[in-house]
Amino acid sequence: MRPIVGITSYVEPASWGVWIDQDAALIRKSYVDAVTAAGARAVILPPDDTDADVLRALDALIIAGGADLGPDLYGEEPGPLTDSRPDRDRGESLLLQAALRTDLPVLGICRGMQLLAVTCGGRLHQHLPDVVGSDKHRPGPGVYGWHGITLEPGSLAAEVAGDGPEGDGRIEVNTYHHQGVADPGSLTVTAWADDGVVEAVEDPTKPFVLGVQWHPEEAGERRIFESLVDAART
């Protein structure tokens, strides 16, 4: 049987057929396609903070991208540009804490990487342009930024993302975020943007716990998902 990979979902207004602006639990199909291409079965997980029992049916977990994390998760008040989804925060925090306790393979993407850091005792920059002085990580609405990052040699991030065309651990990635990791907590930072923004975190004491700030599902980076699925099979 194919491993079963759960993907947390957005809750946003959506339209289909005759139904206009209905609240919907959804996810970009690129996540599903990436998991399917890696040899696993994707299951979409809407927000649910009752329990984490669904993890018993999963072989791996992806915390997907989306809206900002609520700063209450790391003891701060929301800034003027912070746009959070408390239902996702509650449900995903519950799932992630349980997954980490049971060594379930976990991949956090964008928001998911930030939740990993916060869950492990870290905190975020609520608005990166105030820190780095540019909008290059989110150039405009619906526009991905592309920029270079440097990967730590020998890290899980380097293993799954590659050494780059020059073999020096430098690659180009696509990003869309205005928040970023200020403190990784107990996690290890294993990739940085040229402006110092944290681009990957991981827990080397776990079989597979990795967060990436970029969007491999949109860029066709299959190795990250193949590595997650390989971990799910063990």
Side-chain angles (χ1 to χ4, degrees), residues 69-163:
L69 291 183
D72 59 295
L73 294 177
Y74 48 97
E76 294 185 9
E77 294 295 320
L81 299 177
T82 296
D83 179 21
S84 62
R85 299 293 186 276
D87 55 344
R88 281 195 69 180
D89 291 349
R90 293 190 299 269
E92 292 178 1
S93 293
L94 188 67
L95 287 178
L96 182 53
Q97 290 167 19
L100 293 174
R101 286 196 302 271
T102 58
D103 286 344
L104 191 73
V106 173
L107 173 62
I109 295 175
C110 196
R111 166 194 163 91
M113 185 192 90
Q114 296 169 9
L115 182 62
L116 261 174
V118 169
T119 299
C120 292
R123 61 181 181 83
L124 305 183
H125 297 299
Q126 289 193 49
H127 191 55
L128 276 178
D130 293 341
V131 178
V132 300
S134 78
D135 293 317
K136 78 174 189 177
H137 295 274
R138 190 179 69 175
V143 178
Y144 285 100
W146 282 88
H147 58 79
I149 67 170
T150 301
L151 297 149
E152 179 68 27
S155 66
L156 176 59
E159 177 185 335
V160 303
D163 291 328

Side-chain angles (χ1 to χ4, degrees), residues 14 23 45 57 60 62 104 147 205:
D23 284 345
L45 305 175
I62 294 175
L104 191 73
H147 58 79
T205 70

Side-chain angles (χ1 to χ4, degrees), residues 183-206:
D183 177 356
S186 62
L187 298 176
T188 300
V189 177
T190 52
W192 303 261
D194 296 339
D195 57 10
V197 170
V198 173
E199 291 287 336
V201 294
E202 58 193 72
D203 186 343
T205 70
K206 299 284 188 181

